[in-house]
Amino acid sequence: MIWILMDLSILVLLFSLLCFDKIHATELSTISGSQVLTNNDTLVSPAAIFELGFFQPDNTASKYLGIWYKKISVKTVVWVANRDHPITNASAVPLVLNITDLGNLVLFNNSTIIWSSNTTSTASISLTVKLLDTGNLVMVGPQEKMIWQSFDHPTDTLLPGMKLGKDYLRDIEWHLTSWNSNQDPSPSGLTWGADIIGYPENKLRQGSVVKYRGGPWSNQRFTGASQFNRSLTFVYEVVLTKSEVSFSYILENSSMLTRTALNSSGQLESSVWVEEGKKWQLSLSLPRDICDTYNICGEYGSCSLDTVTQSCACFDEKRFVPRDEKRWDTADFSGGCVRRTPLDCKNGSDGFIKYSNVKLPDAEDTWFNMSMSLNECEEECLKNCSCMAYANPDTNVGSRGCVIWLSDLKDIRVYSAAGVGQDIFVKMASSEIVGQSSNTKKGDAKVKIMLVVIIPVVLIICGLSTWLWYARKKRKHAEQMEGGVSESQLPLFSFSTIATATANFSTDNVLGEGGFGPVYKGVLKEGLEIAVKRHSKTSGQGIDEFKNEVITVSKLQHRNLVKLLGCCIQGDEKLLVYEYMPNKSLDSLIFDQKQSMVLNWSKRFNIIKGIARGLLYLHHDSRLRIIHRDLKASNILLDEDMNPKISDFGIARSFGGNETEANTHRVVGTYGYMAPEYALDGLFSIKSDVFSYGVLVLEIVSGKKNRGFIHPEHDNNLIGHAWSVYNEGRSMELIDENLAKSCDKSEVIRSIEVGLLCVQQNAGDRPNMSSVVRMLDDEGTLPIPKQPAFYMQGELLVADFTSSTYNAGSVSDLTITEVDSR
Ligand SMILES: *[C@@H]1O[C@H](CO)[C@@H](O)[C@H](O)[C@H]1NC(C)=O
Ligand SMILES: *[C@@H]1O[C@H](CO)[C@@H](O)[C@H](O)[C@H]1NC(C)=O
Ligand SMILES: *[C@@H]1O[C@H](CO)[C@@H](O)[C@H](O)[C@H]1NC(C)=O
Ligand SMILES: *[C@@H]1O[C@H](CO)[C@@H](O)[C@H](O)[C@H]1NC(C)=O
């Protein structure tokens, strides 16, 4: 057989040399009969989107038959025929792709078979090879009968229309295998494909080891991806039949070029071609973060990014406990968690608790029936003692579907951003459910109330902003603001209005000096009092920070955040107009001997709680996730009732829903308030704000500054002092003498403990703001703080760092704007 093929091939080769010399270096649109594609020929799809031909990766002597985009300037190979048989001696002899008499598509190098489709067809005479505009290379017989297609043999790229999964009738399995390197298309050990045991889902594997799970299939989205680009409308298609289990996607807008490829470092990347930029724009990259690592926290464990250090917790800390507490404490999470109360299946008393926004667990050990309703699913799970949980993986509203998990739940993840995960119902012993049912109801009621409140508010905001937009369009401002500021839909004041309001920026009107310039008091014609932040031309704050502040603040609405009324950009002048706060900033009161009398304990406790709520809103509740980065006493303003308002967002960073941590090469902030990991490594997160909050709480309680704190008996800073009195059970000694009479002792002690918890050295040990708010409101017991950061003078890391870089005295409370941390 091989001999026959070879003989044929030599004939064909000779034939091609004799007769087809002319077509060298031409573009063909179809090959039929035994026509040939040789060395420099290419086969082009009808709309010239894809091209088939020979390519040679940079810096190699190897040639491959492959398909790439014809339309775009960056050579992007999407399929390779002979990926594990490179042609290394191709210079002398022509390469030939032809259809043999037996109906086989074969690539010859001289007389050697390099690659073959392994097909046979009796109708070989009428076979046609075509490259379609989808990127699919097909060989069809009469009536377009498909003999072979490249889509059945994916390499590292999944194009729209390609499938992952299995065709049982033809015994074909579709999965991606990455290239070994950018220059070497040979298959590496990394694969991305369907795990069709149990309910199907895609898994990234290295050899047989699972690295990452895409989450059970859904018609709507990648359920296991915590982030995906909503602006691209992918339409997913899931087939679950006896003859085929497959997953594929198409694009709603087929004129966009998009591909999903598994790269050689094991990252699954979706990209879109951007013609203007002439580049592939990454839209999705999985696995996304450390918490995506397969089963990182063990059974019933869940990984959270809300801490700077990687951290695992039991997925429901009330009802599950680590299997081995000791190993768990040493960060060995492999044992996972177990139910606090074991199930009691035999007596039939178990029930279920619903968890939302969850990445559904590994579905390998599951049973499913997609015609069942959720109620039938629950019954099915109750009947079977191995069933641990059930869920409907189909996220379409009103859809049916039932998956039941038949062993302990692995690789769960609870997302913090809403609308990413799915609902799962986990089986629980009846005693664990008692508290829950009322909880759920309360939760439902809350949701209802929230909807009742939120929907009208959203409608009003939408209406208002549309109206504002039209109004603004009509007005056509003479001064066009740059970039994003114009999109923030914020009132614009003219410079002359502000100048009049502030008596030409009279020195009598100066309220204070902010990090980037003076702040003036003003009165608008209507009688409204305003505070105007004028950015000095020489200030460290450039146009970027300015825009950042405007855009950030204009989107925030909370009673504990200062309200931005508008802004003004004219020439070099950059002005921000805020609501006026008659009682100035917190530092002007608490650190001043006389003024501090104004703030009795109940007012201070109110301030401590108000700042916590404002910060909670920034971190968790606002549409953007915002890290303030410069929380300090001088940035807390007080209204006429002494309610605190957080201000100064010049260096705040907003984050996408799920991001919680970032690194910066520019450390900005104020010494004395900066968390160690931020001051030293430039690593900031919501937990670095928590640290600053802790310092602030201790300052409010004691009326002393952390920086520059002096004690007659020791060299500790305020944090160190608070820690030592707390440790000796003398916490009340920390309090400002002026308060001693008015205070509620338990509130004071609670505040000091919360303050100490917030200034823990390890960011993972600090509570998040929702816990802080709860701790302050609640009478329950608090966790015991460990020794905080910057305890002893000798360990005053930040101060040491400061004195070597800056003159500590002169910069004391100013915001440091540019310190390169590396
Ligand atoms: C054709 O068969 C050979 C030998 O069994 C195999 O190595 C090769 O991968 C097959 N080619 C295709 C395209 O399936
Ligand atoms: C589809 O995508 C193309 C190219 O990106 C774009 O020009 C076109 O406007 C899009 N069409 C629709 C309906 O979104
Ligand atoms: C799936 O569920 C439907 C509806 O309950 C039922 O009619 C059908 O028999 C079930 N199929 C299997 C295989 O259990
Ligand atoms: C639970 O259900 C699975 C799937 O239907 C079945 O294989 C298993 O035998 C059942 N176990 C029990 C104890 O009923």
Side-chain angles (χ1 to χ4, degrees):
M1 162 90 165
I2 298 276
W3 285 113
I4 297 170
L5 279 180
M6 284 190 176
D7 286 346
L8 271 173
S9 74
I10 290 166
L11 279 179
V12 171
L13 191 77
L14 286 172
F15 184 65
S16 73
L17 282 175
L18 291 172
C19 311
F20 286 87
D21 231 9
K22 266 182 273 153
I23 63 162
H24 278 198
T26 53
E27 291 171 359
L28 308 169
S29 54
T30 58
I31 317 172
S32 53
S34 60
Q35 270 188 31
V36 204
L37 181 70
T38 67
N39 266 356
N40 299 321
D41 295 340
T42 59
L43 183 63
V44 176
S45 71
I49 296 174
F50 288 98
E51 185 170 34
L52 170 81
F54 294 98
F55 72 96
Q56 192 165 349
D58 292 346
N59 310 319
T60 67
S62 306
K63 275 201 168 182
Y64 299 90
L65 176 68
I67 299 171
W68 56 85
Y69 293 90
K70 169 138 186 90
K71 221 180 155 176
I72 65 175
S73 50
V74 176
K75 179 98 165 225
T76 312
V77 175
V78 296
W79 183 77
V80 187
N82 54 321
R83 61 187 303 193
D84 40 11
H85 288 110
I87 304 156
T88 48
N89 56 346
S91 51
V93 281
L95 300 164
V96 182
L97 178 70
N98 71 2
I99 304 167
T100 67
D101 283 351
L102 298 168
N104 198 0
L105 185 64
V106 183
L107 172 62
F108 292 104
N109 175 12
N110 205 351
S111 55
T112 316
I113 298 176
I114 299 291
W115 173 88
S116 144
S117 68
N118 298 340
T119 46
T120 51
S121 170
T122 46
S124 65
I125 314 293
S126 46
L127 294 184
T128 308
V129 171
K130 295 191 261 196
L131 180 62
L132 308 181
D133 280 326
T134 53
N136 196 3
L137 179 69
V138 299
M139 180 161 68
V140 293
Q143 281 98 47
E144 300 288 299
K145 182 175 183 293
M146 186 74 74
I147 307 293
W148 181 88
Q149 58 173 335
S150 65
F151 270 20
D152 280 338
H153 306 272
T155 54
D156 69 334
T157 303
L158 191 73
L159 294 171
M162 285 175 85
K163 289 175 173 176
L164 294 175
K166 183 154 179 145
D167 179 336
Y168 289 97
L169 292 182
R170 294 187 296 150
D171 195 23
I172 292 177
E173 206 233 305
W174 302 288
H175 65 259
L176 306 181
T177 310
S178 79
W179 290 25
N180 259 313
S181 75
N182 285 346
Q183 278 77 44
D184 178 8
S186 65
S188 77
L190 287 160
T191 58
W192 172 253
D195 183 347
I196 50 176
I197 306 173
Y199 187 80
E201 64 180 319
N202 294 335
K203 284 181 176 166
L204 175 68
R205 289 190 159 94
Q206 180 140 40
S208 58
V209 179
V210 178
K211 293 289 188 190
Y212 166 71
R213 234 163 33 87
W217 289 352
S218 142
N219 280 324
Q220 277 196 325
R221 56 196 159 86
F222 253 122
T223 61
S226 51
Q227 151 249 31
F228 60 100
N229 196 331
R230 279 160 219 267
S231 62
L232 302 175
T233 346
F234 290 113
V235 181
Y236 295 108
E237 181 168 296
V238 170
V239 178
L240 289 175
T241 63
K242 281 217 174 71
S243 55
E244 179 178 324
V245 171
S246 74
F247 174 91
S248 58
Y249 73 100
I250 54 168
L251 274 177
E252 248 169 29
N253 183 349
S254 58
S255 60
M256 281 161 77
L257 296 184
T258 169
R259 70 199 170 98
T260 299
L262 180 62
N263 73 18
S264 50
S265 43
Q267 217 47 39
L268 186 79
E269 295 180 332
S270 285
S271 355
V272 184
W273 178 255
V274 185
E275 190 54 41
E276 298 80 58
K278 303 251 176 287
K279 61 166 190 176
W280 286 102
Q281 174 69 47
L282 202 60
S283 62
L284 175 71
S285 179
L286 299 170
R288 187 166 179 267
D289 52 46
I290 183 145
C291 285
D292 272 348
T293 312
Y294 179 72
N295 207 21
I296 186 168
C297 296
E299 288 161 359
Y300 300 109
S302 173
C303 179
S304 161
L305 284 174
D306 274 356
T307 52
V308 170
T309 48
Q310 174 264 312
S311 94
C312 284
C314 291
F315 134 89
D316 173 348
E317 284 180 289
K318 277 198 204 134
R319 300 180 177 85
F320 290 84
V321 290
R323 191 186 295 274
D324 184 339
E325 296 266 6
K326 278 207 197 97
R327 284 169 64 188
W328 192 267
D329 286 344
T330 61
D332 174 358
F333 304 116
S334 54
C337 299
V338 291
R339 284 186 172 74
R340 198 178 56 176
T341 315
L343 295 177
D344 177 24
C345 186
K346 293 207 180 65
N347 295 328
S349 62
D350 296 336
F352 294 91
I353 291 184
K354 173 180 171 179
Y355 296 91
S356 297
N357 223 15
V358 170
K359 173 178 178 177
L360 294 181
D362 189 332
E364 200 169 80
D365 197 6
T366 55
W367 173 94
F368 66 95
N369 177 344
M370 296 307 280
S371 323
M372 275 161 80
S373 70
L374 215 51
N375 283 339
E376 291 170 321
C377 199
E378 174 171 341
E379 271 170 42
E380 190 68 33
C381 186
L382 271 181
K383 270 196 286 197
N384 189 324
C385 284
S386 346
C387 179
M388 294 298 154
Y390 70 90
N392 177 4
D394 192 338
T395 46
N396 282 321
V397 177
S399 63
R400 292 167 86 88
C402 169
V403 173
I404 67 174
W405 276 260
L406 296 167
S407 53
D408 285 328
L409 308 181
K410 262 190 262 173
D411 196 33
I412 315 170
R413 184 168 177 189
V414 183
Y415 295 114
S416 48
V420 181
Q422 286 170 261
D423 293 343
I424 186 167
F425 300 82
V426 180
K427 204 186 256 181
M428 292 286 173
S430 54
S431 63
E432 294 285 12
I433 297 173
V434 182
Q436 169 72 13
S437 57
S438 61
N439 248 351
T440 328
K441 289 217 179 86
K442 224 196 253 166
D444 284 347
K446 245 190 212 159
V447 167
K448 272 182 204 147
I449 292 173
M450 276 168 66
L451 285 180
V452 167
V453 174
I454 287 172
I455 292 176
V457 169
V458 167
L459 286 179
I460 290 169
I461 291 175
C462 288
L464 259 182
S465 43
T466 318
W467 176 79
L468 273 175
W469 183 72
Y470 271 111
R472 272 169 49 77
K473 268 207 124 175
K474 272 191 200 150
R475 249 191 295 161
K476 269 199 185 166
H477 276 282
E479 308 149 27
Q480 268 297 335
M481 290 187 56
E482 293 169 65
V485 177
S486 59
E487 280 138 42
S488 65
Q489 294 168 0
L490 198 70
L492 294 172
F493 290 89
S494 74
F495 187 74
S496 57
T497 308
I498 309 283
T500 315
T502 56
N504 273 326
F505 301 99
S506 143
T507 45
D508 295 343
N509 284 32
V510 172
L511 289 171
E513 188 79 19
F516 297 114
V519 181
Y520 297 87
K521 185 184 172 181
V523 185
L524 292 178
K525 277 206 200 84
E526 306 90 296
L528 182 67
E529 291 184 311
I530 53 173
V532 178
K533 191 167 149 191
R534 186 184 198 181
H535 290 249
S536 62
K537 288 160 206 157
T538 56
S539 81
Q541 188 175 27
I543 189 85
D544 286 344
E545 272 119 347
F546 182 76
K547 277 201 234 161
N548 185 16
E549 176 159 9
V550 174
I551 293 165
T552 308
V553 183
S554 68
K555 288 179 184 158
L556 301 174
Q557 293 290 334
H558 188 271
R559 58 190 296 260
N560 293 114
L561 302 184
V562 68
K563 200 155 120 207
L564 185 65
L565 301 174
C567 69
C568 165
I569 300 182
Q570 190 164 333
D572 277 350
E573 293 286 352
K574 290 169 284 176
L575 306 170
L576 289 175
V577 181
Y578 285 100
E579 58 179 337
Y580 174 68
M581 290 291 135
N583 284 315
K584 298 196 184 167
S585 58
L586 188 58
D587 65 328
S588 65
L589 297 185
I590 55 172
F591 300 141
D592 185 290
Q593 272 293 322
K594 283 190 208 126
Q595 297 287 326
S596 71
M597 311 282 275
V598 178
L599 291 179
N600 63 17
W601 173 253
S602 74
K603 284 187 181 135
R604 288 193 193 205
F605 194 53
N606 183 46
I607 291 170
I608 289 173
K609 294 207 279 193
I611 301 169
R613 282 190 293 264
L615 210 48
L616 172 65
Y617 171 80
L618 290 180
H619 286 179
H620 299 282
D621 297 343
S622 66
R623 219 156 34 86
L624 305 152
R625 179 189 281 273
I626 289 175
I627 298 177
H628 188 286
R629 296 210 287 167
D630 196 18
L631 199 66
K632 56 181 172 183
S634 59
N635 280 342
I636 306 297
L637 304 181
L638 299 168
D639 72 4
E640 59 279 3
D641 300 322
M642 294 292 172
N643 291 311
K645 309 242 178 186
I646 302 173
S647 77
D648 215 334
F649 298 84
I651 57 175
R653 274 280 198 103
S654 59
F655 281 76
N658 248 337
E659 282 176 278
T660 50
E661 180 193 324
N663 204 301
T664 179
H665 65 285
R666 287 181 61 210
V667 171
V668 288
T670 303
Y671 294 127
Y673 291 93
M674 273 195 259
E677 74 277 4
Y678 179 41
L680 297 175
D681 301 325
L683 195 65
F684 65 92
S685 68
I686 53 175
K687 292 298 181 71
S688 40
D689 272 359
V690 171
F691 185 94
S692 311
Y693 174 76
V695 174
L696 200 47
V697 169
L698 295 177
E699 290 185 337
I700 295 171
V701 172
S702 66
K704 308 267 178 2
K705 287 186 187 179
N706 184 38
R707 244 185 99 77
F709 176 81
I710 296 164
H711 196 274
E713 283 154 32
H714 56 68
D715 286 343
N716 292 343
N717 64 0
L718 177 62
I719 297 178
H721 177 61
W723 171 245
S724 62
V725 293
Y726 162 81
N727 245 354
E728 291 158 20
R730 301 182 285 124
S731 290
M732 287 306 287
E733 284 179 25
L734 194 67
I735 195 168
D736 189 331
E737 305 91 74
N738 295 327
L739 300 179
K741 274 177 261 128
S742 73
C743 73
D744 172 329
K745 202 173 155 195
S746 72
E747 285 176 359
V748 173
I749 289 177
R750 185 164 284 269
S751 303
I752 293 172
E753 286 178 6
V754 167
L756 287 171
L757 285 168
C758 292
V759 295
Q760 296 289 292
Q761 170 83 38
N762 183 342
D765 292 337
R766 297 173 209 149
N768 57 25
M769 288 316 295
S770 52
S771 310
V772 168
V773 168
R774 238 181 298 125
M775 288 175 189
L776 290 171
D777 280 343
D778 196 336
E779 300 291 299
T781 51
L782 299 182
I784 311 239
K786 301 183 205 160
Q787 177 175 310
F790 313 137
Y791 167 40
M792 297 290 286
Q793 189 71 6
E795 292 169 20
L796 271 175
L797 300 170
V798 166
D800 287 345
F801 178 65
T802 322
S803 53
S804 64
T805 324
Y806 285 90
N807 176 335
S810 70
V811 294
S812 61
D813 279 347
L814 283 186
T815 299
I816 308 307
T817 49
E818 298 227 12
V819 180
D820 202 316
S821 71
R822 280 176 226 153

